[in-house]
Amino acid sequence: MDPIVLAAGGALVSAMATDGWQHARAAVVAWFRQLNPDQVDSIYADLEVLRDQVAAARAEADQTAEQTLVRAWRSRLQQLLDGDPELAAELRQLLEEHVNPGPSQKEQAQARSVVMRAEARDNSRVYMAGRDQHIAEGS
């Protein structure tokens, strides 16, 4: 199975439980519309059923059922790629931009890592803060 299919199938099912699902679903439906406009209604309905099935599997903590759904969508996507291997690049773009996007460039620029280390000895105190700190101790 194509590695992009493995990633996309899992990401699609995982995205259904996120706040970004509406956006991801719209992008997936638009992608399928380009491939086969006659199947758009069917794809949309299938995605809605799949989301309900994923929600039920997660509510019951049924990982086997969820993995079965992942395998079904991987198979469906692999069939598309078997018919047209050139779709792999489009599927990768769909995955990276809409289904499983990483942090935006703005979010990446805002991400920081702070390492702080302190050591206290003999009843001394150490106060550390990544930003503002207000200490009010009673006398």
Side-chain angles (χ1 to χ4, degrees), residues 13-22 24 51 58 99:
V13 170
S14 293
M16 292 178 178
T18 68
D19 292 337
W21 171 240
Q22 305 305 332
R51 184 169 191 207
R58 289 191 175 183
V99 178

Side-chain angles (χ1 to χ4, degrees), residues 95-136:
L95 174 65
E96 292 173 354
E97 294 178 7
H98 301 288
V99 178
N100 192 22
S104 68
Q105 288 182 346
K106 181 180 177 182
E107 291 169 330
Q108 288 177 12
Q110 291 175 343
R112 293 182 182 91
S113 177
V114 176
V115 177
M116 298 180 355
R117 184 169 181 264
E119 192 172 313
R121 293 190 181 140
D122 302 323
N123 294 325
S124 61
R125 294 184 183 163
V126 175
Y127 298 94
M128 298 175 71
R131 213 181 123 139
D132 299 342
Q133 184 177 58
H134 303 281
I135 301 168

Side-chain angles (χ1 to χ4, degrees), residues 60-98:
E60 297 172 12
D62 187 350
Q63 292 180 347
T64 303
E66 190 168 341
Q67 286 306 306
T68 299
L69 298 169
V70 169
R71 282 192 300 276
W73 274 87
R74 283 177 176 163
S75 176
R76 189 171 190 164
L77 294 170
Q78 186 63 54
Q79 287 176 349
L80 286 173
L81 266 61
D82 289 346
D84 185 356
E86 300 297 318
L87 292 176
E90 291 179 25
L91 182 56
R92 182 179 315 286
Q93 182 177 4
L94 176 69
L95 174 65
E96 292 173 354
E97 294 178 7
H98 301 288

Side-chain angles (χ1 to χ4, degrees), residues 38-60:
D38 298 337
Q39 293 183 357
V40 170
D41 291 337
S42 173
I43 293 296
Y44 186 87
D46 290 350
L47 290 171
E48 288 303 301
V49 168
L50 179 62
R51 184 169 191 207
D52 292 342
Q53 291 171 329
V54 169
R58 289 191 175 183
E60 297 172 12

